[in-house]
């Protein structure tokens, strides 16, 4: 069994979403309501990735909305990680 | 071999709101099992096996505390949710039918007041497996993952918010007749449902299972031993568990998304039982959340997904005049959330004619476990 990497166009559509209103962790108390989206990739629609939207209100996300990827770095307790976000196009 | 074993006893502890139990979870387990044995007219010394799912009350402790006979069988099924309730019954059926044990307790005890709350993200600071792809984005609870599935399901099939409400309203209406139910004496109106706060859209507060303390148990044995028991035996007509090809995966990449994981469960169950959905007059559907219940109703073959609004609307799933009364004890939402094992107990009671929402002359009674979590399972009970 071998594994390979494939480059894909960083665009997709909103396949589903939920707007979280209840903070299930105290660290999210000031973050709610926030939207978690499930994005179907344009180059491989059967591949779906979970993410968050940027630059859009939680009540404006709709299934079928076209999106493109935005990479952002977040630093938590001296550790920097890169996260994938999405913006409406 | 399957379908040979029978159920001879049912029992439960008092059901409490989370934190309301004065007993520990282990004590609740012992109480439920003692009540089920007493109902069957059996002694703890008759017990030689235990089956459950996701339970931390191990047979090694239960055996000692209850004073069972020698244990010859113990087993739990895989999966991270209430999907194991019916398959735990099938484990007992397999063990008894194949001769590994003669008298198996199937039980679930859950005190969310004593242990962690299912509705919280938990204290873990790491993500692993499937959650590696979702936790960083604030998807941390079962409500949120089932909401994501339900939102897509509603979009694809035109399922309405009122159809989600129908599941809740049926449970609360049935709970008003059941003195064991935590929501007994607390009716709910459609307006209250719609006015309740959002938890994770499309789920309002009442779409989500409550957090409770309690335990429930049944006793599975051979038809021969059942002759000495206090009640008429109830047949385990057929049971099935299933994870359909394409149903598993990480980060919602399942081919079948969204699914309740019950398509292959239904196919197997009806084939084994030699009957179909239209032969079943009453059913219990595990309600973690309302959306997966609707998916499971369709996937078990009761209607097409596009027909859900009509199937559940106009009182279709109510005890009073419904075409398929569901969750006749009040279910997880109205009676108590014991990880769905109350749904199994209630399905047995329907065959015994002892439900507080008794469906007249019910010859078959279905319990469907854990929609949205895999492998899904279901068990069909019947008159012997």
């Amino acid at each position: 069994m071998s594994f390979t990497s494939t480059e894909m166009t960083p665009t997709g559509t909103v396949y589903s979403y939920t707007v979280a209103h209840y903070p299930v962790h105290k660290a999210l108390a000031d973050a709610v309501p926030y939207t978690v989206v499930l994005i179907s990739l344009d180059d491989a629609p059967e591949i779906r990735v979970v993410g968050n939207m940027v630059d859009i209100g939680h009540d404006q996300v709709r299934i079928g909305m076209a999106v493109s990827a935005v990479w952002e770095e977040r630093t938590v307790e001296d550790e920097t990680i890169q996260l994938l976000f999405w913006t409406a196009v | 071999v399957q379908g040979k074993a029978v159920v001879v006893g049912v029992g439960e502890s008092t059901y409490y709101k989370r934190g309301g139990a004065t007993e520990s979870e282990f004590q609740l387990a012992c109480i439920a099992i003692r009540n089920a044995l007493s109902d069957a007219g059996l002694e703890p010394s008759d017990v030689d096996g235990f089956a459950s799912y996701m339970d931390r009350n191990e047979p090694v402790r239960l055996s000692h505390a209850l004073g069972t006979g020698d244990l010859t069988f113990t087993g739990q099924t895989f999966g991270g949710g209430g999907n194991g309730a019916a398959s735990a019954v099938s484990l007992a059926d397999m063990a008894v039918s194949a001769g590994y044990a003669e008298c198996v307790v199937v039980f679930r005890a859950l005190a969310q007041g004593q242990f962690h709350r299912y509705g919280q993200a938990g204290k873990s600071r790491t993500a692993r497996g499937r959650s590696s792809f979702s936790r960083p984005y604030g998807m941390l609870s079962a409500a949120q993952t089932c909401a994501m599935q339900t939102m897509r399901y509603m979009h694809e099939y035109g399922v309405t918010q009122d159809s989600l409400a129908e599941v809740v309203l049926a449970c609360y209406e049935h709970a008003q007749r059941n003195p064991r139910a935590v929501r007994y004496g607390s009716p709910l109106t459609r307006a209250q449902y719609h006015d309740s706060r959002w938890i994770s859209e499309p789920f309002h507060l009442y779409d989500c299972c409550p957090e409770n303390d309690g335990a429930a148990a049944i006793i599975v044995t051979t038809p021969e031993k059942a002759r000495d028991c206090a009640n008429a035996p109830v047949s385990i007509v057929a049971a099935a568990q299933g994870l359909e090809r394409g149903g598993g995966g990480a980060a919602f990449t399942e081919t079948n998304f969204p699914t309740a994981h019950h398509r292959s469960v239904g196919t197997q169950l009806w084939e084994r039982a030699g009957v179909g959905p239209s032969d079943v007059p009453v059913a219990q559907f595990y309600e973690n959340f309302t959306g997966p219940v609707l998916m499971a109703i369709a996937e078990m073959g009761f209607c097409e997904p596009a027909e859900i609004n009509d199937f559940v609307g106009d009182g279709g799933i109510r005890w009073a005049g419904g075409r398929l009364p569901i969750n006749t004890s009040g279910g997880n939402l109205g009676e108590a959330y014991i990880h769905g094992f109350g749904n199994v107990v209630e399905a047995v009671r329907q065959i015994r004619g002892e439900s507080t929402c008794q469906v007249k002359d019910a010859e078959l009674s279905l319990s469907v476990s854990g929609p949205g979590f895999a492998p899904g399972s279901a068990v069909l009970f019947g008159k012997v």
Side-chain angles (χ1 to χ4, degrees):
Chain A
M1 193 171 191
S2 63
F3 298 90
T4 57
S5 295
T6 305
E7 286 213 1
M8 292 197 192
T9 314
T11 58
T13 58
V14 175
Y15 192 79
S16 191
Y17 69 95
T18 182
V19 184
H21 291 259
Y22 176 74
V24 295
H25 191 282
K26 61 187 178 191
L28 294 166
D30 296 329
V32 291
Y34 61 89
T35 306
V36 185
V37 288
L38 184 61
I39 304 298
S40 174
L41 300 177
D42 287 344
D43 284 355
E46 72 280 12
I47 305 283
R48 302 180 204 112
V49 294
V50 178
N52 299 127
M53 300 289 289
V54 293
D55 303 330
I56 187 170
H58 69 83
D59 54 351
Q60 293 175 292
V61 178
R62 294 288 177 270
I63 289 174
M65 184 177 272
V67 295
S68 65
V70 181
W71 280 266
E72 289 190 8
E73 288 189 343
R74 295 288 164 90
T75 302
V76 181
E77 295 173 1
D78 299 331
E79 187 179 0
T80 300
I81 55 173
Q82 196 171 56
L83 287 174
L84 181 61
F85 291 89
W86 300 90
T87 186
V89 292
Chain B
V1 174
Q2 66 107 35
K4 190 176 155 191
V6 293
V7 180
V8 290
V10 296
E12 60 266 294
S13 71
T14 300
Y15 291 149
Y16 302 94
K17 289 185 176 178
R18 172 179 55 82
T22 52
E23 308 92 334
S24 69
E25 184 182 85
F26 183 76
Q27 289 171 321
L28 293 167
C30 291
I31 291 166
I33 293 166
R34 283 298 296 257
N35 286 342
L37 286 167
S38 174
D39 175 63
L42 294 171
E43 297 296 328
S45 57
D46 288 306
V47 172
D48 59 4
F50 285 95
S52 188
Y53 52 103
M54 249 185 106
D55 202 281
R56 65 194 135 222
N57 301 285
E58 297 194 24
V60 66
R61 291 180 70 202
L62 290 168
S63 175
H64 184 73
L66 292 164
T68 70
D70 294 347
L71 294 190
T72 59
F73 171 80
T74 65
Q76 290 206 82
T77 52
F78 282 98
N83 54 296
S87 53
V89 178
S90 73
L91 282 184
D93 182 22
M94 291 176 210
V96 168
S97 298
Y100 288 94
E102 187 183 30
C103 183
V104 177
V105 172
V106 193
F107 75 101
R108 182 75 173 95
L110 183 61
Q112 295 197 46
Q114 183 183 357
F115 296 100
H116 83 276
R117 299 174 59 185
Y118 281 8
Q120 300 288 310
K123 294 192 172 70
S124 171
R125 296 178 65 83
T126 58
R128 60 184 177 182
R130 183 181 166 122
S131 75
S132 307
F133 301 93
S134 52
R135 284 180 76 91
Y137 301 101
M139 179 166 264
L140 301 156
S141 73
Q144 294 164 346
T145 49
C146 288
M148 185 76 97
Q149 296 187 44
T150 300
M151 189 71 88
R152 179 71 198 186
Y153 198 77
M154 293 170 81
H155 174 82
E156 280 190 28
Y157 299 110
V159 174
T160 63
Q161 192 78 42
D162 261 319
S163 289
L164 301 189
E166 286 298 337
V167 175
V168 186
L169 296 172
C171 288
Y172 270 74
E173 185 170 294
H174 301 160
Q176 303 318 307
R177 298 175 56 87
N178 177 6
R180 287 184 300 270
V182 171
R183 295 294 168 179
Y184 180 66
S186 302
L188 185 77
T189 65
R190 189 179 298 275
Q192 283 174 305
Y193 166 85
H194 285 294
D195 290 344
S196 68
R197 60 195 167 94
W198 291 115
I199 297 299
S200 193
E201 294 179 38
F203 295 153
H204 285 281
L205 174 67
Y206 291 107
D207 288 292
C208 304
C209 54
E211 297 168 323
N212 295 111
D213 299 345
I218 68 170
I219 311 298
V220 174
T221 191
T222 62
E224 293 75 27
K225 192 173 178 70
R227 291 193 200 112
D228 301 328
C229 290
N231 293 297
V234 170
S235 170
I236 301 169
V237 176
Q241 59 172 307
L243 172 58
E244 198 175 33
R245 182 184 172 90
F252 308 98
T253 56
E254 297 100 328
T255 315
N256 296 333
F257 180 94
T259 177
H261 298 291
H262 280 86
R263 288 192 191 98
S264 67
V265 173
T267 309
Q268 292 178 78
L269 188 85
W270 304 128
E271 186 179 333
R272 281 183 195 147
V275 298
S278 61
D279 298 311
V280 174
V282 58
Q284 317 300 317
F285 281 88
Y286 177 94
E287 333 90 294
N288 38 13
F289 309 97
T290 52
V293 171
L294 300 180
M295 292 184 216
I297 287 173
E299 291 183 9
M300 288 300 294
F302 287 96
C303 68
E304 293 299 320
E307 297 167 345
I308 282 175
N309 294 332
D310 289 338
F311 190 86
V312 303
D314 196 26
I317 53 175
R318 309 279 181 101
W319 173 65
R323 61 182 68 81
L324 180 71
I326 73 164
N327 304 4
T328 45
S329 65
N332 287 335
L333 302 181
E335 187 185 46
Y337 181 82
I338 314 300
H339 219 184
F341 209 71
N343 300 11
V344 171
V345 168
E346 172 66 9
V348 173
R349 283 207 170 102
Q350 282 287 350
I351 297 299
R352 286 168 41 153
E354 296 172 352
S355 171
T356 49
C357 285
Q358 181 61 42
V359 171
K360 193 166 180 291
D361 302 326
E363 297 276 333
L364 293 169
S365 170
L366 177 69
S367 185
V368 176
S369 300
F373 291 83
S377 68
V379 58
L380 184 67
F381 297 106
K383 292 199 191 282
V384 169

